Amino acid sequence: MYAAKHRGHASQQQQQHVDEAMLGGVHGHRPTAARPAPRRAKLKILLVVIATNLVSVYLFSGASLSVHLPASAPRIHLWDSAALLRDLNATRAELAGARAELAALRSQCNASSSLLESVLAGLGAVHGDAPETRDFGGWPEEPAGELKLAIEPHRLPLGFHPNFGTDELFPGLGFACRNFQDELARYMAYDAGGECPDDDALALQLALKGCEPLPRRRCRARSPVGYVEPAPLPRSLWSVPPDTTVRWAPYTCKNYTCLVRRARARGGVPSFCKDCFDLEGKERRRWQADNGGVGFGIDSVLRSRAPGTVRIGLDIGGGTGTFAARMAERNVTVVTTTMDLDAPFSAFVASRGLVPLQLTLMQRLPFADGVLDIVHSMNALSNWVPDAVLEAALFDIYRVLRPGGVFWLDHFFCLGPQLNATYVPIFDRVGFRRLRWKAGRKLDLSAERNEWYVSALLEKPMT
Ligand SMILES: *[C@@H]1O[C@H](CO)[C@@H](O)[C@H](O)[C@H]1NC(C)=O
Ligand SMILES: *[C@@H]1O[C@H](CO)[C@@H](O)[C@H](O)[C@H]1NC(C)=O
Ligand SMILES: *[C@@H]1O[C@H](CO)[C@@H](O)[C@H](O)[C@H]1NC(C)=O
Ligand SMILES: *[C@@H]1O[C@H](CO)[C@@H](O)[C@H](O)[C@H]1NC(C)=O
Ligand SMILES: *[C@@H]1O[C@H](CO)[C@@H](O)[C@H](O)[C@H]1NC(C)=O
């Protein structure tokens, strides 16, 4: 279990990323630049303008301008006030009519002149004149080079349109990438067809900030020097891989020996998922049995379902993959999401013969609705996650679970007052049915801080 203080450390940083990423995660992709309307449409508009103007000219020429003054100027019948009133009345009515007609004409002129303006602007764009304000589809600067290629839509061959509902394919790309164009441009400044730069740290930074997924690149990812093939299953499940199976560029620890030593050191440098690299230590004892508190055992959880019906699942924020390893021993296939924060988690999970998935909490889970038997998450979901993000993540977990599937929320961390005020209402809103629920005060030096853990087994209802 990652100590909360450690988590807090890593999380503050992440929270900021998460906030930023949230702004964009759910939006689709827009075209990279406003594309000019087809020429035919332009022509049509032009004709409309000309026609409108012809009407104006016709009207102004007086042909039907009906500001008819009385045939003769009103005679002044000083002695006949009734006649005078009648004349004045008639004149007033005529003037009112004329004024209305003028207003109508003016607005028609207005309309045709603004149409003319837009047609001229359109024609200017066709001829390559720079419009006054440029729209790069939300990018601060006009994307160029490999970045432009990676983000622009690509036309489908004729005949595919009915299947896709579009005649162009847009690349999958994190909406928030637009907020970090400088960094993204650096990431995309590579030698096309050559070897990719050594920039894992930059890629990770961008993904954590919400530029996820990143654009694809046309370069060959580097291999570690002295790669060693993995151990065979099932031995690989509990083997720390050789140091040379991975590229270590951005990490403090430059080998697994260092990571294992760090896990065993008392105190030491706070780090993310510190214990998980020591497969002989705490990691080996996790989920072996119910501990009477918030620690549930895997077998007791599996017993809550009909035998053999838990077959496939997901572990969110699964560190080095030990949950998936324990499930593999029970013939359950579990995919582990993990981010390479501070250590090469994905490579480690993969070397154990388990499936790593690089995914932040901001991403919609890449599964169809109603397919998984179990979703587990320990420590990844906690009070560092902004409420709206947490709620969206829980609804997404509900979505991917099959009816009767279970969500095992393991060691959700929060402060005492937050539990009933904030989190229980969120859990209830999602619509899970509680099979097990255990809240317990965190027992360590920080106990006076009223910190709590909740573990729960939540079922997606059958109907
Ligand atoms: C003037 O016109 C109004 C309506 O426009 C009418 O009600 C009124 O009787 C008229 N007055 C005279 C003196 O014709
Ligand atoms: C003409 O258009 C402008 C801007 O579109 C508007 O502010 C103005 O009120 C319009 N005038 C008339 C008479 O419609
Ligand atoms: C492992 O990495 C640490 C630093 O991260 C270094 O001091 C140590 O020499 C390395 N050990 C081996 C065997 O490479
Ligand atoms: C897992 O599957 C294998 C092969 O089908 C079987 O021999 C083994 O008993 C199963 N293990 C468990 C724990 O069910
Ligand atoms: C939350 O509410 C439940 C039931 O209302 C209560 O038993 C529990 O003590 C509360 N928990 C905390 C941490 O306040």
Side-chain angles (χ1 to χ4, degrees), residues 219-420:
C219 57
R220 278 180 299 282
R222 290 161 190 254
S223 293
V225 177
Y227 179 78
V228 179
E229 293 210 85
L233 275 170
R235 182 155 55 84
S236 66
L237 289 178
W238 295 98
S239 305
V240 173
D243 287 341
T244 52
T245 52
V246 69
R247 294 167 46 231
W248 291 86
Y251 310 118
T252 334
C253 265
K254 296 292 177 203
N255 48 52
Y256 288 122
T257 319
C258 165
L259 285 170
V260 172
R261 193 177 305 127
R262 189 165 82 180
R264 290 176 183 170
R266 298 245 166 267
V269 190
S271 61
F272 179 74
C273 202
K274 177 171 172 263
D275 297 331
C276 0
F277 287 93
D278 181 9
L279 296 185
E280 300 306 318
K282 262 191 198 169
E283 201 67 7
R284 210 167 185 101
R285 300 189 293 274
R286 288 194 213 283
W287 307 294
Q288 290 293 64
D290 284 356
N291 70 1
V294 292
F296 301 169
I298 283 181
D299 290 316
S300 79
V301 166
L302 292 181
R303 272 196 303 275
S304 74
R305 309 283 83 189
T309 59
V310 176
R311 308 147 306 149
I312 51 174
L314 171 70
D315 187 22
I316 298 175
T320 49
T322 295
F323 180 80
R326 286 298 182 205
M327 294 296 266
E329 289 166 351
R330 290 157 176 82
N331 290 338
V332 182
T333 303
V334 168
V335 172
T336 304
T337 76
T338 186
M339 295 296 292
D340 284 351
L341 280 171
D342 190 32
F345 286 91
S346 285
F348 194 92
V349 171
S351 79
R352 297 177 79 177
L354 305 164
V355 182
L357 199 60
Q358 278 217 328
L359 209 62
T360 68
L361 274 184
M362 299 306 296
Q363 276 268 33
R364 183 180 197 263
L365 295 170
F367 299 100
D369 295 4
V371 295
L372 299 182
D373 301 317
I374 189 168
V375 174
H376 171 261
S377 181
M378 179 157 127
N379 293 142
L381 298 175
S382 277
N383 68 348
W384 73 268
V385 182
D387 295 351
V389 177
L390 177 69
E391 186 165 344
L394 292 174
F395 270 102
D396 204 33
I397 290 168
Y398 186 98
R399 178 184 67 80
V400 300
L401 280 172
R402 65 165 170 84
V406 287
F407 173 40
W408 178 355
L409 180 64
D410 197 353
H411 284 80
F412 180 91
F413 170 85
C414 66
L415 302 177
Q418 292 179 319
L419 182 57
N420 284 340

Side-chain angles (χ1 to χ4, degrees), residues 7-19:
R7 203 176 41 251
H9 174 78
S11 315
Q12 260 175 358
Q13 226 176 345
Q14 269 179 341
Q15 176 145 357
Q16 185 194 343
H17 302 323
V18 164
D19 285 338

Side-chain angles (χ1 to χ4, degrees), residues 15 45 48 56 72 84 92 127 130 133-134 153 160-161 168 233 245 253 293 313 317 334 358 364 372 400 409 420-421:
Q15 176 145 357
I45 296 172
V48 168
S56 313
S72 56
L84 181 65
R92 196 187 293 138
H127 290 134
T133 53
R134 305 194 63 173
F160 275 79
H161 308 184
E168 292 174 317
L233 275 170
T245 52
C253 265
V334 168
Q358 278 217 328
R364 183 180 197 263
L372 299 182
V400 300
L409 180 64
N420 284 340

Side-chain angles (χ1 to χ4, degrees), residues 177 179-189 199 201-203 205-206 209 214:
C177 290
N179 302 350
F180 312 105
Q181 190 173 354
D182 286 352
E183 281 156 272
L184 188 63
R186 201 146 32 91
Y187 178 72
M188 294 304 284
D199 55 5
L202 178 61
Q205 237 172 51
L206 277 164
K209 286 201 248 191
L214 282 164

